[in-house]
Amino acid sequence: MTTSAWLLFITISLVTALSPGPGILLAVSNAVAWGPRKTLWSSAGNVLGVFSVSAAAMAGLGTLLHTSAWLFAVLKAVGAVYLVYLGWRQWASKTSMFDTPLPQQSQPGKSNAALFRQGLLVALTNPKSILFFTALFPQFIHPEAPVLPQFLALTSAFAACELCSHLLYVLLARHTNRWFGTPRRAQVFNRLCGGAFGLLGLSLLRLKSPN
């Protein structure tokens, strides 16, 4: 993979991971209820789910990568439309993920295994990561190179971005959740994130087929 393609993948991964979704909401609520250390277990389950979804997407890449140029163009367009759609939805949103008050008191203890399963199920049923891998992975994989190392590198990079986003939102939830609750600041946050998605969707159209 070229340096520009790798940087594009990392940027898309970061913006996708930072976009508020079920995994982040779970991390935030667990951090407030049981503390940041317990949240690591649900985040670990989330990472395993990411690898599972990625592996399922990879299973069908061999055929896709050796098909005609028009099919690659279709896949690229699907990925771009998906990113632009996420951007439009985030841009148009008038609320913030911090609008819902978080619990202020610790709840009864929950086992690490239960938190791990919770994070795993959220990742396995999260359409964001499912669509991310199935729509975008084929455009960053080179068929002439071994697939397994590429799979491990790309998935590990995405999983690392997910963990970083969880950590960031946990810190935000504990210290600045009221700041994001104002309508004006929520709108600025949503439009910055939405604009980033739209730009990434347009830049995806410039990618060339690895075939």
Side-chain angles (χ1 to χ4, degrees):
M1 185 185 299
T2 63
T3 301
S4 59
W6 177 252
L7 290 176
L8 177 60
F9 177 82
I10 294 296
T11 304
I12 292 176
S13 298
L14 280 173
V15 175
T16 303
L18 289 170
S19 175
I24 287 176
L25 289 174
L26 177 64
V28 168
S29 60
N30 283 345
V32 175
W34 296 289
R37 292 185 179 180
K38 296 282 283 187
T39 304
L40 291 176
W41 287 98
S42 63
S43 295
N46 191 268
V47 168
L48 178 60
V50 165
F51 270 92
S52 300
V53 172
S54 175
M58 273 304 226
L61 288 183
T63 302
L64 292 175
L65 290 174
H66 292 87
T67 53
S68 60
W70 71 265
L71 183 54
F72 176 85
V74 169
L75 288 174
K76 182 166 62 175
V78 169
V81 168
Y82 169 60
L83 289 175
V84 172
Y85 165 73
L86 287 181
W88 172 83
R89 190 175 63 177
Q90 190 75 30
W91 181 282
S93 176
K94 299 183 183 300
T95 60
S96 166
M97 66 170 290
F98 297 104
D99 285 344
T100 303
L102 297 172
Q104 298 299 315
Q105 296 180 350
S106 296
Q107 302 176 25
K110 194 169 188 177
S111 69
N112 294 336
L115 290 171
F116 184 89
R117 288 194 301 270
Q118 195 178 43
L120 175 63
L121 290 175
V122 164
L124 291 176
T125 57
N126 184 5
K128 182 175 69 173
S129 29
I130 295 173
L131 288 175
F132 178 86
F133 289 123
T134 55
L136 300 182
F137 254 36
Q139 301 159 51
F140 292 96
I141 296 293
H142 289 262
E144 69 275 6
V147 174
L148 182 59
Q150 297 181 80
F151 158 72
L152 293 175
L154 293 175
T155 309
S156 298
F158 184 81
C161 292
E162 284 277 304
L163 288 176
C164 289
S165 70
H166 288 191
L167 176 60
L168 175 61
Y169 275 101
V170 165
L171 293 175
L172 288 175
R174 291 177 65 86
H175 300 292
T176 60
N177 58 304
R178 291 183 181 179
W179 193 91
F180 282 99
T182 64
R184 177 59 182 170
R185 289 167 180 168
Q187 184 184 55
V188 170
F189 174 82
N190 289 335
R191 290 193 172 181
L192 285 175
C193 189
F197 265 118
L199 290 175
L200 288 172
L202 295 176
S203 66
L204 188 62
L205 293 175
R206 301 182 60 185
L207 279 181
K208 296 181 179 181
S209 172
N211 294 309

